[in-house]
Amino acid sequence: MTTKSLTSMAAAAEAASPSSSLLRRLVAVDTALSLRVHSLFLPVPRSLLKALEVSGDGRFWFPVVLALLPLSSSVAFSLLLGLLLGSLLDLLLVGLLKHLVRRPRPVYNKGMSLAFALDHWSFPSGHSSRVFFIASFLHLSSASLRRWIRGGGGAGDGAELVVRLVFLWSAATSASRVLLGRHFVFDVLAGACLGVVEALITFRSMRRIFGVVL
């Protein structure tokens, strides 16, 4: 290898170092912050955190939505169909990102059952993306949710209460991922942002592709 080529490679490495150095610093900050938060909240009952974990698990949500679809009214069917399609999109995008990024989970993650090989990877949090997708989709579909609740004899303002409770649940479930040691803080934030984007995509696709007005 010539001196010129070695110089070129060194210059390229030097030019790339600022971004890689910044990434390493961000990862270090995220790792330290996540460990700090995990340690501070160790007194929180693990049974509560595990309950939140199960409530946001895809192995819980998919069977529930599939079971309710044939029994639902037209309004409820549209909502459940959107939740199902968005959850499938979430499964695809989270799996793709985990495969591409391949960030290991925290070393203090204990007692986790892995459903898929990709569950070994941490970024982004699939629980966070799923629960924030659900909350954001229901918020965008609040008009349909309101009609559904009124059709069942409930008050119209019950839809706003449901959406607020679901957002509270999604925030608690996302936080539990760090407290359990399953994820780093940045994993959870990225998952939450991804879930909001998935909700927007699903909501607009339901209107444009399927002609469903939610």
Side-chain angles (χ1 to χ4, degrees):
M1 187 176 292
T2 65
T3 304
K4 184 177 181 180
S5 61
L6 286 173
T7 304
S8 300
M9 290 175 61
E14 186 177 348
S17 61
S19 59
S20 60
S21 177
L22 176 60
L23 180 59
R24 284 195 298 271
R25 289 179 184 177
L26 287 174
V27 170
V29 169
D30 186 28
T31 302
L33 174 62
S34 302
L35 177 58
R36 179 65 173 167
V37 172
H38 174 72
S39 302
L40 282 174
F41 288 89
L42 281 176
V44 176
R46 193 169 178 84
S47 57
L48 172 61
L49 300 178
K50 291 286 289 183
L52 288 169
E53 180 176 53
V54 172
S55 72
D57 198 315
R59 290 170 291 183
F60 168 77
W61 274 101
F62 277 107
V64 169
V65 173
L66 288 172
L68 291 176
L69 267 175
L71 308 175
S72 56
S73 64
S74 58
V75 176
F77 183 87
S78 300
L79 285 171
L80 291 171
L81 180 61
L83 288 172
L84 178 61
L85 294 177
S87 296
L88 290 172
L89 174 64
D90 173 69
L91 195 65
L92 175 65
L93 293 180
V94 169
L96 178 62
L97 288 171
K98 283 182 182 286
H99 176 73
L100 292 175
V101 178
R102 293 175 176 257
R103 184 186 192 185
R105 290 185 182 271
V107 294
Y108 45 86
N109 175 34
K110 306 295 181 184
M112 180 180 178
S113 61
L114 301 177
F116 305 99
L118 286 172
D119 283 343
H120 285 288
W121 308 117
S122 186
F123 184 92
S125 167
H127 274 71
S128 296
S129 63
R130 186 177 304 111
V131 295
F132 267 93
F133 157 71
I134 293 170
S136 301
F137 183 76
L138 290 179
H139 171 68
L140 292 170
S141 309
S142 56
S144 292
L145 185 61
R146 193 176 297 112
R147 290 198 302 271
W148 185 18
I149 292 176
R150 283 175 176 169
D157 56 359
E160 284 72 19
L161 177 60
V162 168
V163 171
R164 288 175 186 173
L165 290 175
V166 173
F167 267 113
L168 180 63
W169 162 73
S170 64
T173 301
S174 297
S176 75
R177 308 310 289 156
V178 179
L179 303 190
L180 279 169
R182 305 293 193 233
H183 287 282
F184 300 100
V185 172
F186 285 6
D187 302 338
V188 169
L189 294 177
C193 292
L194 178 62
V196 173
V197 172
E198 291 167 347
L200 289 169
I201 293 173
T202 304
F203 182 76
R204 293 180 180 178
S205 298
M206 291 288 290
R207 287 191 166 191
R208 294 182 181 181
I209 299 177
F210 300 101
V212 177
V213 178
L214 293 168

